Amino acid sequence: MRVGILTGGGDCPGLNGVIRAVVRRAHGYGDGVVGFRDGWRGPLEGDVMPLPLDAVRGILPRGGTILGSSRTNPLKREDGIERVRRSLADHSLDGLIAIGGEDTLGAAAKLHEAGVNVIGVPKTIDNDLGGTDRTFGFDTAVQVATEAIDRLHTTAESHKRILILEVMGRHAGWIALHAGMAGGADVILVPEKPFDLDEVCERLERRFSRGSHFAIVVVSEGALPAGGDLETFGAKTDEFGHVRLGGIGQRLEREIEERTGYETRTTVLGHIQRGGTPTAYDRVLATRFGVHAMEAAHEGKWGMMTALRGNAIELVPLSEAVASLRTLGEDDLREAEWLLG
Ligand code: F6P
């Protein structure tokens, strides 16, 4: 058999690990794989590249994706579904392995409903996909953000400053919570629990009154004050309807400095947490997902997504996986109550 593979949405460390595992597992079966370039743009425009074994040699430690990525939405294109179907037929492909987050896999679920053979593989640094306990890319993002907090700690202490680190995660606080916990942040602000600025400042003042004269605040880009609005860069949305988030760090910087009198500065970690080499954990998870995705395709188990459940890789229906976002739950919030603003 022959399958196509694509990577859509925001890239993340580990994508190349999945591609490599799919190609190698396919080789074991005697199956062929081609890559579609730039997410859903590839099958919409019939833009393919061959993926022989040679093409995936040495890519496991490389961040990004050798296939390129985009936020193209096939459902927003006239004849989008038909064009994807035609592309598969033109290249004699039995189906498609789509690696992506809620948007890419949401489109994959709709294509499957329309009769296109698709298998999904969950990726995102945000770790917010339903159906799986983990997405690859998250561990690397947390590691990078934790290192940033460690570095901020030493300079915050030297200068007696409050340093704020703004991290990604869109509507999920996983990166902020895990990096903040690992880095020993004093206050962590996440989208799932709107914050009260008075309480945040009281918490910082209490710390100062105990003799510490610096503090670290980690804020998720999607965190917002109770009754307030999200900070965004304008109202422009991408093809999946998402606005660009960011700016909450700067807003907190002004308000916290004014209220506490402590010099406060913000660092926006941005795409640094999404680029570069994946951690060993993400390489292993990506490889396992790739192997299971190719096995599912070979066995014709279309419409499913690979998922980590406990320590096992299972297949779950794509429709179930994209039904709702997996944000921080009650238990996660309760466990971290003493850290959250
Ligand atoms: O979904 C992954 C993610 O990195 C989010 O955390 C973030 O909000 C968004 O993508 C940023 O996307 P872009 O790089 O397209 O601005």
Side-chain angles (χ1 to χ4, degrees), residues 61-72:
R62 266 170 64 186
T65 160
I66 59 166
L67 297 177
S69 193
S70 74
R71 295 195 187 273
T72 304

Side-chain angles (χ1 to χ4, degrees), residues 131-305:
T132 183
D133 292 349
R134 257 304 154 93
T135 54
F136 64 87
F138 172 64
D139 188 67
T140 308
V142 169
Q143 183 62 34
V144 172
T146 302
E147 280 168 25
I149 297 169
D150 289 347
R151 288 173 190 279
L152 292 175
H153 254 114
T154 62
T155 175
E157 187 167 13
S158 306
H159 289 271
K160 299 185 177 52
R161 285 172 172 159
I162 299 172
L163 293 184
I164 300 171
L165 181 70
E166 180 182 307
V167 296
M168 285 185 171
R170 221 192 274 278
H171 303 299
W174 293 107
I175 300 176
L177 181 62
H178 282 223
M181 223 182 235
D186 303 294
V187 178
I188 303 172
L189 305 175
V190 295
E192 292 87 343
K193 184 176 180 284
F195 61 86
D196 176 334
L197 197 58
D198 290 334
E199 273 176 32
V200 170
C201 292
E202 272 163 31
R203 197 179 277 253
L204 293 169
E205 300 281 10
R206 274 203 300 278
R207 174 177 163 82
F208 302 144
S209 68
R210 289 195 302 265
S212 294
H213 293 289
F214 71 98
I216 302 290
V217 176
V218 176
V219 60
S220 184
E221 62 181 358
L224 72 171
D229 295 322
L230 278 175
E231 290 290 326
T232 66
F233 291 92
K236 199 169 155 244
T237 57
D238 66 18
E239 289 193 14
F240 289 91
H242 302 299
V243 286
R244 191 173 141 202
L245 295 177
I248 184 68
Q250 258 97 16
R251 179 166 163 198
L252 284 169
E253 176 182 306
R254 285 190 301 276
E255 304 208 20
I256 291 178
E257 181 166 310
E258 209 176 282
R259 291 178 192 220
T260 63
Y262 269 77
E263 184 177 353
T264 306
R265 302 277 189 95
T266 300
T267 300
V268 180
L269 196 54
H271 294 89
I272 289 172
Q273 71 208 282
R274 225 171 70 185
T277 190
T279 57
Y281 180 92
D282 279 339
R283 294 183 203 188
V284 172
L285 185 57
T287 301
R288 294 178 75 200
F289 276 165
V291 167
H292 283 262
M294 189 57 223
E295 287 177 356
H298 188 80
E299 289 162 20
K301 294 181 175 159
W302 307 111
M304 304 299 276
M305 180 188 88

